[in-house]
Amino acid sequence: MQWQQDHAIILGVKRHGETSVIAEVMTRDRGRHLGLVRSGRSRAMQPVLQAGNAVEVIWRARLDEHLGEFRVEPVTLRAARLMETATAVYGVQAMGALLRLLPERDPHPHLFDALEVILDHLHNPADAGELFVRFELAVLNDLGFGLDLAECAATGARSDLAYVSPKSGRAVSRAAGAPWADKMLLLPPFLSIEGNHAADFDSLSAAFRLTGFFLHRHVYEPRGIEAVAARDGFVQAALKALNPALRTLSGPNGISA
């Protein structure tokens, strides 16, 4: 079995023997994929096999279900730049963890395209935070737990959407949700269908609470796992960039200052 050159992004590597590694990559057409890279710990290959780098890979195996081997060629070596800011360091790790929630070798081309875009914007905390939230929403959708933020669950209205029901994951208008506002999750303006608003500190805080809540309820809790620490690190870094006075974050789904 073999597939020819496919564009891929390095998610991580594990040592294998004395000189080789098992590389984990995200490809556009074949999803998250593992493969052995012989001499992957060599001086020539170590800089290439860093998380966030774009590469071309060729995969070979005797049978399709085997691990197989990768031949890797560098395309865009962005890993060094991704070490320059906290949002980039944590963001790469957090997105890799999100992609590991999906089945191996299951194609998700829109997630691959989104990953490439976000990797080129992680150095800008405001942009990175908004893009990361949208990435989490896309992962939730692909896992079968997508949120419906297009219209009010109670009235069908498509304007003045202010809340999200924690039970249904559907948007609720300001008027319809007012009696239960203290039990609702806030819908950040930049996620509403009306919104041409850039994310600010308050709206980004609400967005992290929103995605964190549904990831915990539908994904982490049923699987008996916790969100990776890198997500909290990313949230903290993104929010501190928008509000330097911020000093304390608490909990995977809640933020306190």
Side-chain angles (χ1 to χ4, degrees):
M1 297 292 299
Q2 173 175 320
W3 37 263
Q4 289 294 331
Q5 286 186 335
D6 196 357
H7 194 52
I9 296 170
I10 302 291
L11 298 181
V13 298
K14 294 181 180 179
R15 291 181 57 175
H16 185 81
E18 293 296 321
T19 62
S20 300
V21 300
I22 295 175
E24 181 183 31
V25 304
M26 183 67 181
T27 68
R28 192 177 194 281
D29 298 324
R30 297 172 177 86
R32 186 172 58 86
H33 210 290
L34 302 178
L36 178 70
V37 181
R38 298 194 182 277
S39 301
R41 298 181 61 206
S42 67
R43 288 185 178 182
M45 289 305 300
Q46 280 187 354
V48 176
L49 299 174
Q50 297 295 315
N53 283 344
V55 297
E56 294 286 346
V57 294
I58 295 175
W59 178 81
R60 293 189 181 92
R62 191 168 65 85
L63 296 174
D64 186 61
E65 61 266 25
H66 288 179
L67 172 66
E69 296 184 15
F70 281 147
R71 192 173 75 191
V72 181
E73 296 293 337
V75 175
T76 305
L77 301 184
R78 56 169 73 90
R81 180 165 53 83
L82 293 174
M83 297 297 292
E84 294 176 357
T85 63
T87 48
V89 171
Y90 290 121
V92 171
Q93 299 174 46
M95 287 190 294
L98 286 167
L99 292 171
R100 293 183 188 103
L101 297 172
L102 301 165
E104 188 183 345
R105 304 188 184 188
D106 191 12
H108 297 267
H110 57 291
L111 290 180
F112 175 87
D113 293 340
L115 179 62
E116 280 219 299
V117 171
I118 299 172
L119 286 171
D120 288 330
H121 290 80
L122 281 176
H123 62 284
N124 184 322
D127 290 344
E130 181 173 340
L131 290 169
F132 183 85
V133 165
R134 295 184 185 278
F135 191 78
E136 289 189 316
L137 289 172
V139 171
L140 275 168
N141 187 68
D142 281 23
L143 289 170
F145 306 111
L147 307 187
D148 182 357
L149 306 180
E151 64 180 30
C152 176
T155 66
R158 299 175 66 88
S159 62
D160 200 26
L161 302 177
Y163 306 105
V164 177
S165 166
K167 292 185 178 180
S168 68
R170 299 184 62 189
V172 180
S173 69
R174 193 177 310 278
W180 303 278
D182 60 334
K183 297 181 180 179
M184 294 283 187
L185 295 161
L186 294 178
L187 175 60
F190 72 85
L191 290 180
S192 74
I193 59 172
E194 301 176 285
N196 290 321
H197 305 277
D200 57 16
F201 176 82
D202 290 335
S203 63
L204 193 56
S205 298
F208 284 135
R209 289 192 187 97
L210 179 68
T211 53
F213 176 86
F214 286 105
L215 281 166
H216 180 73
R217 166 180 280 186
H218 294 307
V219 184
Y220 298 135
E221 188 173 46
R223 298 188 187 191
I225 60 177
E226 296 288 338
V228 295
R231 184 186 190 269
D232 283 344
F234 177 84
V235 169
Q236 181 174 1
L239 293 178
K240 278 188 175 180
L242 295 176
N243 182 0
L246 181 67
R247 288 295 178 263
T248 305
L249 297 179
S250 65
N253 308 313
I255 303 169
S256 63

